[in-house]
Structures are given as C-alpha cells and as structure tokens.
Amino acid sequence: MTHFDHLSASYEELLRDPIRDRFTGREPGFFHRRKADLIRRFFRRRGFTTSGLRYLDVGCGKGELLGLLQSDFKQVAGCDVSETTMRQITGLETRVQKDSLRIPFGDDEFDLVTAVCVYHHVPAACRAALTAEIGRVLRPGGIFCMIEHNPFNPVTRLIVSRTPVDADAILLPASEARGLAARAGFARLEQDYFLYFPQALYRYVGQAETLLAKVPLGGQYAVFSGKQLAAP
Ligand SMILES: C[S@@+](CC[C@H](N)C(=O)[O-])C[C@H]1O[C@@H](n2cnc3c(N)ncnc32)[C@H](O)[C@@H]1O
C-alpha cells in the first residue's frame, strides 16, 4: 500500500484548504483544466496537431487530466503506483505501476508523457531514475512535460505545508526539473509559470497570465523537454 492508497478514500476531503477552495471557486476541476489548456497551447505554439499522438500520464491519480485530454489524442493511457486511486478511473487505459521506478509500458511507445505533481512525492534520490524511465517510454522527438508546485510561491508553500496529502512532499524548483530533464538527455524546450489568478478572476483576466508565464512566481510551473532524436 502506498501513501496515496491509504489516502484514496478521503482524498478530496484531505486536499481541502480554505485558500485552495477560494482559488478554484465554483469550478472544482479548475486546476486540471488549466493544465489541459497549457498542454494544448504548447502544441499549438509549435504547430503540432495532437490527434495522431499517443499520450501517457505518469502518476495519473484519478485520471482527471487524461479525461480532459482524451479527445485531443489518438491514444491516452495512465499509470500510477497507487492501484486504489486508479480504481476510480473508468473508460481509460490504466496500468498499475508495481515498481515506482519502472513504468509499465514498452520503449518508445508515447509521443507525450506528463508527470503532474508527482515528483514532489518522489524521494530526491529516485528522481533521476524516474526521469530516465520516462525517456525510455518516449519515442525520439517525443515531449516530456513536468508540472510541479512552485516553491517560490509563498501561498503554494503554505497550502502544501498544511495539506495531509503533502506530508511527504519535497518541492522542487523549476531549475531542478530542468536539470533532471537535461541529465536524462532531454533538450530544453519551454517553461511556463501559471496559476496566478483564482478562477473567479481568471475568467476575466486570463490573458494576463500569459504575460506572466516567464515570471517565476506562479503557483505552479510546467517544464517541457524533448527527447533527442537518435544520431543518424
Ligand atoms: C498529488 S497526486 C497527483 C495526481 C495527478 N497527477 C493529478 O495531478 O491530479 C501524485 C500521484 O503520483 C503518484 N506517484 C507517486 N510516486 C510515483 C511514481 N514513482 N510513479 C508513478 N506515480 C507516482 C501517487 O500515487 C499519486 O497518485
């Protein structure tokens, strides 16, 4: 049983926090929607259509992000070390990750791999091995997107410090995320900070967040990296 297996039954309740609840406002899925939009915008900026691509979410939890992006991709799949958490997912391909450092899919199977709020639960000594494993399941030229809490945002730090789900969390700055990707042989592509405005405000001034994407103070960040093409 993993940390998340134990928490699974009361996960939503344990995540509750007055600041977090005010941030998401009337849209409980606000954080997931923002991530889906961020990923869509990344591919749009680069001129890629995703309808022919295969997408894996490592540490997919309850599969909310996969559900939102399912119709954008040819194939979506998820894996997680917590079988109990994934049990609540229906209608999506999921595999239990029996070994935290062994992704249960074959080499070069995916065009996009995401790991969303996973690494801060992975012991620092294991992060490089997990990143190399993500590189294994990505095809050359494929994209790795790591999304994490930003330790430089004081509100993020406060919420994490009092959330039971995050009792084991060790936050990593974007520089560490970039370093992990670089050491696993990925090329650096883009980095965006987001979650500056709560949902109620984002509806009206969402565009302003795009202007702040390079300012390292958003609640979370996304680091996009590319698996290098094999030498000819
Ligand atoms: C905070 S939850 C995030 C879940 C989901 N990605 C989301 O954004 O809602 C972290 C998830 O990572 C999973 N996890 C932790 N270590 C992992 C590892 N080494 N490989 C795969 N999943 C892992 C946990 O079981 C948990 O479901």
Side-chain angles (χ1 to χ4, degrees):
M1 291 280 273
T2 69
H3 176 60
F4 281 87
D5 283 313
H6 288 291
L7 303 175
S8 172
S10 44
Y11 186 70
E12 266 75 32
E13 201 45 46
L14 293 172
L15 268 186
R16 291 203 69 161
D17 180 281
I19 302 179
R20 191 182 190 279
D21 293 348
R22 288 189 74 151
F23 204 91
T24 55
R26 295 197 190 136
E27 186 185 345
F30 179 62
F31 291 130
H32 300 298
R33 174 168 69 88
R34 296 296 316 282
K35 287 159 194 165
D37 287 347
L38 194 82
I39 290 165
R40 289 188 183 113
R41 272 206 307 276
F42 168 82
F43 282 104
R44 223 177 290 137
R45 273 198 302 275
R46 303 185 85 80
F48 294 160
T49 48
T50 54
S51 54
L53 304 184
R54 299 151 302 165
Y55 163 38
L56 172 68
D57 190 22
V58 171
C60 63
K62 298 190 177 185
E64 289 99 334
L65 184 61
L66 283 173
L68 289 175
L69 288 172
Q70 185 175 20
S71 55
D72 293 55
F73 289 85
K74 180 172 88 176
Q75 180 201 344
V76 299
C79 59
D80 199 293
V81 292
S82 170
E83 182 171 6
T84 320
T85 307
M86 280 199 308
R87 224 175 261 153
Q88 303 169 43
I89 302 176
T90 52
L92 294 171
E93 180 185 357
T94 54
R95 294 189 193 171
V96 181
Q97 197 173 316
K98 295 212 168 84
D99 176 338
S100 62
L101 298 180
R102 176 82 193 166
I103 295 173
F105 288 92
D107 296 358
D108 301 348
E109 271 199 49
F110 294 96
D111 304 286
L112 168 69
V113 174
T114 55
V116 178
C117 297
V118 174
Y119 272 74
H120 63 259
H121 295 290
V122 176
C126 299
R127 290 173 180 171
L130 181 62
T131 314
E133 190 50 11
I134 286 170
R136 180 185 66 75
V137 299
L138 265 178
R139 67 152 172 87
I143 306 294
F144 172 36
C145 168
M146 189 200 296
I147 296 181
E148 271 300 328
H149 293 319
N150 179 14
F152 296 125
N153 179 302
V155 179
T156 296
R157 287 191 82 96
L158 175 66
I159 296 174
V160 168
S161 72
R162 60 191 192 188
T163 302
V165 170
D166 286 325
D168 68 343
I170 300 172
L171 301 189
L172 56 157
S175 56
E176 183 179 336
R178 291 196 309 271
L180 285 164
R183 279 195 295 284
F186 288 93
R188 182 173 168 178
L189 296 177
E190 290 184 26
Q191 177 180 301
D192 284 335
Y193 290 89
F194 66 111
L195 295 181
Y196 283 94
F197 302 126
Q199 185 263 353
L201 210 55
Y202 183 77
R203 282 188 293 163
Y204 303 107
V205 294
Q207 279 306 316
E209 274 219 11
T210 327
L211 303 173
L212 295 168
K214 305 302 167 200
V215 180
L217 291 173
Q220 295 191 344
Y221 62 83
V223 169
F224 292 92
S225 320
K227 179 172 170 178
Q228 311 268 15
L229 295 168

